[in-house]
Amino acid sequence: MLNIILFGPPGSGKGTQAQNMVDKYGILHISTGDLFRYEMGNNTPLGLKAKEYMSKGELVPDEITIGMLENKVNANPDVQGIIFDGFPRTIPQADALDKFLESKNTEVTLLLALDVPDEELVKRLLKRGESSGRADDRDENIIKNRISVYKSETS
Ligand code: ADP
């Protein structure tokens, strides 16, 4: 399997680059942010829980995030590979991913880290907020919190 992790702060272009790779390699794209937004849109218990954290720009707790990610992978047993977009974001998530892939006799093939200056991230996210419908892209304080959470917990 071709298992690629796309790593980088909010607004660095993970989703855009993931789409380019899906087009080129035909592998499964898993964005934990998209999965949470889907659950939120359907007002599921998982979505309501995630919203408490996402609306503040905080990370959703590991246990919830890891369980959701594993379910998504398990629901797609026949794929040639996976692009992990926005996962892992903490050390426990990274450890869980290693163990999970090992249990499937596979491993991380490649990690691509996108690096963009902070001022550019804020600009891009505010611009995205004009059309994305994402509340967390409309408020500069929430954006700055997401960038600082990336630095303290993810990077
Ligand atoms: P961005 O990278 O622009 O912040 P995402 O769609 O990847 O956008 O994530 C949006 C929000 O979803 C995050 O701010 C966080 O609250 C939650 N989230 C996404 N992925 C994770 C993860 N791996 N662990 C915890 N929370 C996550």
Side-chain angles (χ1 to χ4, degrees), residues 106-119:
T106 183
E107 61 189 357
V108 175
T109 314
L110 175 80
L111 181 145
L112 278 175
L114 305 177
D115 196 10
V116 176
D118 288 2
E119 321 81 77

Side-chain angles (χ1 to χ4, degrees), residues 64-91:
I64 300 177
T65 307
I66 292 166
M68 179 182 71
L69 187 278
E70 293 188 353
N71 285 341
K72 180 72 180 176
V73 174
N74 286 334
N76 291 275
D78 298 323
V79 294
Q80 307 277 325
I82 300 173
I83 301 168
F84 295 93
D85 164 2
F87 185 96
R89 291 196 193 201
T90 64
I91 291 172

Side-chain angles (χ1 to χ4, degrees), residues 11-84:
S12 57
K14 298 186 295 292
T16 306
Q17 299 309 331
Q19 192 52 52
N20 289 336
M21 286 191 266
V22 166
D23 295 343
K24 186 157 173 157
Y25 300 110
I27 56 185
L28 177 68
H29 174 205
I30 301 181
S31 154
T32 39
D34 286 350
L35 293 177
F36 284 133
R37 280 185 288 276
Y38 177 80
E39 299 286 337
M40 267 165 51
N42 288 304
N43 281 315
T44 64
L46 173 61
L48 293 172
K49 190 85 206 150
K51 193 174 182 179
E52 287 174 30
Y53 299 90
M54 291 171 78
S55 62
K56 291 182 272 183
E58 302 288 341
L59 294 182
V60 180
D62 284 335
E63 212 179 270
I64 300 177
T65 307
I66 292 166
M68 179 182 71
L69 187 278
E70 293 188 353
N71 285 341
K72 180 72 180 176
V73 174
N74 286 334
N76 291 275
D78 298 323
V79 294
Q80 307 277 325
I82 300 173
I83 301 168
F84 295 93

